[in-house]
Amino acid sequence: MCPHPSAVNWYASFGETVRRHKPELGQLISLETGKILQEGLGEVQEVIDICEFAVGLSRQLYGLTIASERPDHKLLETWHPVGVVGIISAFNFPMAVFAWNAALALVCGNTLAWKPSEKTPLSAVALHGLLLRAAKELGLDTEGLSELLIGERSVGEALVNHPQVKLVSATGSTAMGKKVAMACAAQFKRSLLELGGNNAAIVCPSANLELVVRGAAFAAAGTAGQRCTSLRRLIVHRSVYAALVERLVSVFARLPVGNPLTEGTLVGPLIDGRAFDSMQTALASAKGLGAKVHFGQREEGAGAGGSAGHYVRPAIVELAEQAGPMLHETFAPILYVVPYDDFDEAIAMNNAVVHGLSSAVFTQDLREAERFTSARGSDCGIANVNIGTSGAEIGGAFGGEKETGGGRESGSDSWKAYMRRATNTVNYGASLPLAQGIRFDI
Ligand code: UN1
């Protein structure tokens, strides 16, 4: 297999097609997931952005040449497609996560099989339809280029176990990722995992609290707390704790919760009743630990025309120390807040959870910012300064450590995960010297 000669034109024209349909696609995401229209449109923009990125990337799939220790020899790396790339995506980014994977996988010469979340089949049908339409408009034979597999968990299992699928890129819960990783390992198959996050931000004494409030509100309450990058833990220096919590509480009290398609709404409904229940369970458990809980209750009357959506007011939960539900990822808008006294202690708290996706520090102190982003700082795949934990640009590699799964998608050199590398030694001399000076004279 090699990259289809028209592949670059294909995703260039796919990106253009998606751009033309951005308003409808944004609305569809909003309708199906409950995220607000602005965020639905933002997600479609991510699809367009990664297509453009892939077009440029298609000219930059480079390998190294390496000096050989032997005369008249050269060493080089060549990169080849892996074959069929299986993509398992989650409900919360029903289009963008496919596109990050698809654009890179295709640019690297692979073909695709996509199993979207069973909660968001319509977004998948629409986006995949446009992908194939773009190919057909270019006169490409679409047979076997990309398959959409709508179905339950068993469909995902079949995908993971199919011998022709050489790489499985899975986005979703840690529990799902563990199963995928183990099934792939048993077949010596590659997996690329982008799983949960229990993301924290540290607020230092010198922090610009205006930035903190804006950054925390978007990261914790945006997408109704249902991003893997959502901010869940705020670790606040005791000197600014009271002032910050007061401001956050007053902002959360006013957040417009309601129909995600209505202009001005900032928080739409949760994806389903299970999400609502797990949020309430986490809040009850925090209360059991003596937490002070602000909001988090059902927002009565928020659904347009009495719709049965699960609308909640995002919660702020004050805890004396990091414990209980704060140590676990709950996929809902709960922002736990704890005080700290010492920066080392704050970094230790940031790192004290099983996930390692995103993190942030708010500070004007260069030493704290540098320390946080150094090897002795945050242990996450994303470590930000003076910006929230969510809303990454596509240009950087995206993913995290520990139970987040270790995979990297999207920008930078993430493409390497979608290819296999061969090291080539080429002898252009007339003798056969062996490496390490070994003599083997026959
Ligand atoms: C996810 O929640 O699975 O950084 C992905 C962000 C988005 C992607 C989130 N660009 O928040």
Side-chain angles (χ1 to χ4, degrees):
M1 191 185 304
C2 63
H4 196 291
S6 307
V8 180
N9 295 340
W10 180 20
Y11 29 81
S13 101
F14 173 50
E16 278 311 310
T17 312
V18 171
R19 192 195 301 281
R20 275 202 306 280
H21 292 284
K22 183 174 170 182
E24 305 93 282
L25 292 171
Q27 280 191 356
L28 181 56
I29 292 175
S30 185
L31 262 174
E32 199 171 36
T33 65
K35 68 170 76 171
I36 62 169
L37 182 56
Q38 272 301 312
E39 292 194 58
L41 293 169
E43 174 163 0
V44 180
Q45 189 59 46
E46 274 196 53
V47 177
I48 299 165
D49 291 345
I50 196 72
C51 286
E52 290 179 344
F53 179 88
V55 172
L57 180 65
S58 67
R59 306 282 177 172
Q60 298 172 71
L61 302 174
Y62 50 79
L64 297 173
T65 58
I66 303 154
S68 169
E69 67 189 56
R70 288 172 278 192
D72 294 344
H73 281 59
K74 74 172 179 184
L75 281 179
L76 63 147
E77 286 181 347
T78 45
W79 292 83
H80 307 290
V82 292
V84 181
V85 174
I87 301 170
I88 296 175
S89 62
F91 79 85
N92 64 337
F93 276 83
M95 294 193 191
V97 166
F98 166 71
W100 298 344
N101 282 285
L104 264 61
L106 290 173
V107 91
C108 293
N110 303 295
T111 55
L112 312 173
W114 178 21
K115 152 76 177 76
S117 163
E118 47 268 54
K119 294 173 187 166
T120 52
L122 299 180
S123 299
V125 167
L127 192 70
H128 197 257
L130 291 182
L131 179 72
L132 294 186
R133 187 194 290 178
K136 280 183 190 138
E137 277 171 9
L138 291 172
L140 295 181
D141 177 7
T142 54
E143 179 74 30
L145 284 183
S146 184
E147 296 296 334
L148 177 62
L149 311 166
I150 303 272
E152 302 279 309
R153 174 189 300 207
S154 58
V155 173
E157 285 165 3
L159 177 73
V160 170
N161 291 321
H162 197 287
Q164 258 181 283
V165 172
K166 302 297 183 199
L167 162 70
V168 179
S169 176
T171 303
S173 70
T174 292
M176 177 277 296
K178 227 172 230 176
K179 287 197 184 111
V180 169
M182 275 154 52
C184 286
Q187 304 166 76
F188 297 103
K189 187 177 278 194
R190 294 176 189 208
S191 59
L192 198 171
L193 304 172
E194 202 267 278
L195 310 174
N198 188 0
N199 314 298
I202 299 174
V203 182
C204 299
S206 65
N208 176 338
L209 293 190
E210 183 59 29
L211 290 189
V212 177
V213 171
R214 291 177 66 87
F218 175 66
T223 334
Q226 298 171 114
R227 290 191 189 213
C228 56
T229 51
S230 288
L231 176 64
R232 312 205 180 281
R233 302 178 292 138
L234 205 53
I235 302 164
V236 185
H237 192 266
R238 212 175 287 277
S239 62
V240 291
Y241 182 92
L244 177 61
V245 171
E246 192 188 324
R247 285 171 76 167
L248 282 171
V249 168
S250 88
V251 167
F252 275 44
R254 288 183 281 109
L255 282 172
V257 179
N259 184 339
L261 286 160
T262 302
E263 171 109 31
T265 299
L266 292 181
V267 183
L270 294 171
I271 188 71
D272 55 22
R274 270 182 67 187
F276 177 80
D277 292 344
S278 64
M279 176 174 181
Q280 299 309 313
T281 304
L283 293 177
S285 136
K287 273 186 195 148
L289 288 174
K292 188 168 177 190
V293 176
H294 307 265
F295 321 119
Q297 72 282 16
R298 193 181 283 283
E299 190 78 358
E300 300 298 344
S307 92
H310 296 275
Y311 294 86
V312 289
R313 177 151 301 273
I316 294 173
V317 176
E318 294 185 69
L319 276 164
E321 59 182 39
Q322 179 160 266
M326 187 172 178
L327 292 167
H328 308 286
E329 179 195 38
T330 302
F331 221 59
I334 303 175
L335 181 59
Y336 297 98
V337 193
V338 279
Y340 81 87
D341 296 298
D342 170 70
F343 192 59
D344 282 341
E345 175 201 350
I347 290 180
M349 282 157 86
N350 177 76
N351 295 349
V353 295
V354 295
H355 291 107
L357 178 54
S358 188
S359 60
V361 67
F362 285 87
T363 181
Q364 309 289 335
D365 181 329
L366 181 66
R367 294 180 65 199
E368 286 170 340
E370 291 290 337
R371 173 75 203 287
F372 185 75
T373 51
S374 78
R376 290 192 299 124
S378 165
D379 64 359
C380 296
I382 298 172
N384 294 339
V385 178
N386 291 330
I387 181 174
T389 53
S390 67
E393 302 174 17
I394 59 107
F398 183 90
E401 303 299 325
K402 303 191 290 186
E403 292 199 10
T404 300
R408 292 295 185 278
E409 298 174 337
S410 203
S412 185
D413 64 352
S414 303
W415 61 269
K416 289 180 175 170
Y418 301 83
M419 301 201 87
R420 65 179 176 83
R421 178 198 320 233
T423 300
N424 313 125
T425 306
V426 178
N427 175 6
Y428 54 91
S431 61
L432 198 74
L434 298 176
Q436 296 89 42
I438 292 173
R439 291 189 56 187
F440 196 85
D441 298 324
I442 51 170

